[in-house]
mmCIF file of all heavy atoms in Angstrom:
data_model
loop_
_atom_site.group_PDB
_atom_site.id
_atom_site.type_symbol
_atom_site.label_atom_id
_atom_site.label_comp_id
_atom_site.label_asym_id
_atom_site.label_seq_id
_atom_site.Cartn_x
_atom_site.Cartn_y
_atom_site.Cartn_z
ATOM 1 N N TRP A 400 -176.879 32.782 -96.320
ATOM 2 C CA TRP A 400 -175.666 32.238 -95.695
ATOM 3 C C TRP A 400 -174.584 33.311 -95.584
ATOM 4 O O TRP A 400 -174.503 34.224 -96.409
ATOM 5 C CB TRP A 400 -175.102 31.091 -96.528
ATOM 6 C CG TRP A 400 -175.973 29.885 -96.648
ATOM 7 C CD1 TRP A 400 -176.868 29.612 -97.641
ATOM 8 C CD2 TRP A 400 -176.030 28.769 -95.741
ATOM 9 N NE1 TRP A 400 -177.481 28.410 -97.420
ATOM 10 C CE2 TRP A 400 -176.994 27.867 -96.263
ATOM 11 C CE3 TRP A 400 -175.384 28.448 -94.564
ATOM 12 C CZ2 TRP A 400 -177.292 26.666 -95.628
ATOM 13 C CZ3 TRP A 400 -175.683 27.261 -93.929
ATOM 14 C CH2 TRP A 400 -176.631 26.376 -94.462
ATOM 15 N N VAL A 401 -173.756 33.168 -94.589
ATOM 16 C CA VAL A 401 -172.519 33.947 -94.527
ATOM 17 C C VAL A 401 -171.594 33.438 -95.635
ATOM 18 O O VAL A 401 -171.523 32.237 -95.897
ATOM 19 C CB VAL A 401 -171.844 33.797 -93.149
ATOM 20 C CG1 VAL A 401 -170.477 34.483 -93.138
ATOM 21 C CG2 VAL A 401 -172.738 34.363 -92.055
ATOM 22 N N ASP A 402 -170.911 34.353 -96.303
ATOM 23 C CA ASP A 402 -169.990 33.980 -97.376
ATOM 24 C C ASP A 402 -168.912 33.034 -96.820
ATOM 25 O O ASP A 402 -168.201 33.387 -95.875
ATOM 26 C CB ASP A 402 -169.337 35.232 -97.965
ATOM 27 C CG ASP A 402 -168.517 34.939 -99.216
ATOM 28 O OD1 ASP A 402 -168.348 33.754 -99.557
ATOM 29 O OD2 ASP A 402 -168.056 35.899 -99.860
ATOM 30 N N PRO A 403 -168.781 31.823 -97.377
ATOM 31 C CA PRO A 403 -167.791 30.875 -96.841
ATOM 32 C C PRO A 403 -166.357 31.192 -97.228
ATOM 33 O O PRO A 403 -165.437 30.549 -96.729
ATOM 34 C CB PRO A 403 -168.235 29.536 -97.449
ATOM 35 C CG PRO A 403 -168.868 29.914 -98.751
ATOM 36 C CD PRO A 403 -169.552 31.231 -98.489
ATOM 37 N N GLU A 404 -166.158 32.150 -98.096
ATOM 38 C CA GLU A 404 -164.811 32.455 -98.568
ATOM 39 C C GLU A 404 -164.113 33.412 -97.608
ATOM 40 O O GLU A 404 -164.693 34.400 -97.153
ATOM 41 C CB GLU A 404 -164.872 33.080 -99.957
ATOM 42 C CG GLU A 404 -163.518 33.303 -100.599
ATOM 43 C CD GLU A 404 -163.629 33.803 -102.023
ATOM 44 O OE1 GLU A 404 -164.762 33.870 -102.546
ATOM 45 O OE2 GLU A 404 -162.585 34.129 -102.628
ATOM 46 N N SER A 405 -162.871 33.102 -97.294
ATOM 47 C CA SER A 405 -162.071 33.966 -96.425
ATOM 48 C C SER A 405 -161.427 35.062 -97.266
ATOM 49 O O SER A 405 -160.688 34.772 -98.208
ATOM 50 C CB SER A 405 -160.979 33.155 -95.707
ATOM 51 O OG SER A 405 -161.551 32.163 -94.897
ATOM 52 N N ARG A 406 -161.717 36.307 -96.909
ATOM 53 C CA ARG A 406 -161.129 37.437 -97.626
ATOM 54 C C ARG A 406 -160.751 38.516 -96.631
ATOM 55 O O ARG A 406 -161.406 38.679 -95.603
ATOM 56 C CB ARG A 406 -162.140 38.004 -98.643
ATOM 57 C CG ARG A 406 -162.458 37.064 -99.793
ATOM 58 C CD ARG A 406 -163.513 37.662 -100.705
ATOM 59 N NE ARG A 406 -164.794 37.808 -100.024
ATOM 60 C CZ ARG A 406 -165.860 38.393 -100.561
ATOM 61 N NH1 ARG A 406 -165.786 38.913 -101.769
ATOM 62 N NH2 ARG A 406 -166.988 38.478 -99.884
ATOM 63 N N SER A 407 -159.711 39.258 -96.954
ATOM 64 C CA SER A 407 -159.309 40.352 -96.078
ATOM 65 C C SER A 407 -160.311 41.489 -96.200
ATOM 66 O O SER A 407 -160.881 41.727 -97.268
ATOM 67 C CB SER A 407 -157.903 40.839 -96.442
ATOM 68 O OG SER A 407 -157.916 41.504 -97.691
ATOM 69 N N MET A 408 -160.538 42.195 -95.090
ATOM 70 C CA MET A 408 -161.490 43.298 -95.097
ATOM 71 C C MET A 408 -161.061 44.392 -96.065
ATOM 72 O O MET A 408 -161.896 45.051 -96.702
ATOM 73 C CB MET A 408 -161.624 43.861 -93.673
ATOM 74 C CG MET A 408 -162.657 44.978 -93.565
ATOM 75 S SD MET A 408 -164.321 44.493 -94.119
ATOM 76 C CE MET A 408 -164.779 43.358 -92.825
ATOM 77 N N ALA A 409 -159.752 44.595 -96.202
ATOM 78 C CA ALA A 409 -159.270 45.626 -97.124
ATOM 79 C C ALA A 409 -159.686 45.314 -98.556
ATOM 80 O O ALA A 409 -160.137 46.205 -99.301
ATOM 81 C CB ALA A 409 -157.753 45.749 -97.024
ATOM 82 N N GLN A 410 -159.572 44.059 -98.959
ATOM 83 C CA GLN A 410 -159.974 43.678 -100.314
ATOM 84 C C GLN A 410 -161.468 43.855 -100.512
ATOM 85 O O GLN A 410 -161.922 44.350 -101.541
ATOM 86 C CB GLN A 410 -159.589 42.220 -100.575
ATOM 87 C CG GLN A 410 -158.102 41.965 -100.710
ATOM 88 C CD GLN A 410 -157.801 40.489 -100.899
ATOM 89 O OE1 GLN A 410 -158.390 39.638 -100.249
ATOM 90 N NE2 GLN A 410 -156.877 40.196 -101.786
ATOM 91 N N VAL A 411 -162.244 43.444 -99.510
ATOM 92 C CA VAL A 411 -163.701 43.515 -99.631
ATOM 93 C C VAL A 411 -164.171 44.962 -99.735
ATOM 94 O O VAL A 411 -164.990 45.306 -100.591
ATOM 95 C CB VAL A 411 -164.365 42.811 -98.427
ATOM 96 C CG1 VAL A 411 -165.871 42.997 -98.460
ATOM 97 C CG2 VAL A 411 -164.025 41.330 -98.424
ATOM 98 N N VAL A 412 -163.642 45.811 -98.860
ATOM 99 C CA VAL A 412 -164.062 47.209 -98.864
ATOM 100 C C VAL A 412 -163.621 47.900 -100.151
ATOM 101 O O VAL A 412 -164.367 48.714 -100.721
ATOM 102 C CB VAL A 412 -163.509 47.927 -97.618
ATOM 103 C CG1 VAL A 412 -163.775 49.418 -97.695
ATOM 104 C CG2 VAL A 412 -164.129 47.344 -96.358
ATOM 105 N N ASP A 413 -162.436 47.596 -100.623
ATOM 106 C CA ASP A 413 -161.962 48.197 -101.870
ATOM 107 C C ASP A 413 -162.878 47.825 -103.038
ATOM 108 O O ASP A 413 -163.227 48.682 -103.859
ATOM 109 C CB ASP A 413 -160.530 47.735 -102.154
ATOM 110 C CG ASP A 413 -159.957 48.351 -103.422
ATOM 111 O OD1 ASP A 413 -159.828 49.583 -103.474
ATOM 112 O OD2 ASP A 413 -159.670 47.592 -104.370
#
Side-chain angles (χ1 to χ4, degrees):
W400 296 93
V401 174
D402 188 353
E404 186 175 354
S405 299
R406 293 177 295 175
S407 70
M408 183 57 69
Q410 290 177 318
V411 174
V412 173
D413 181 62

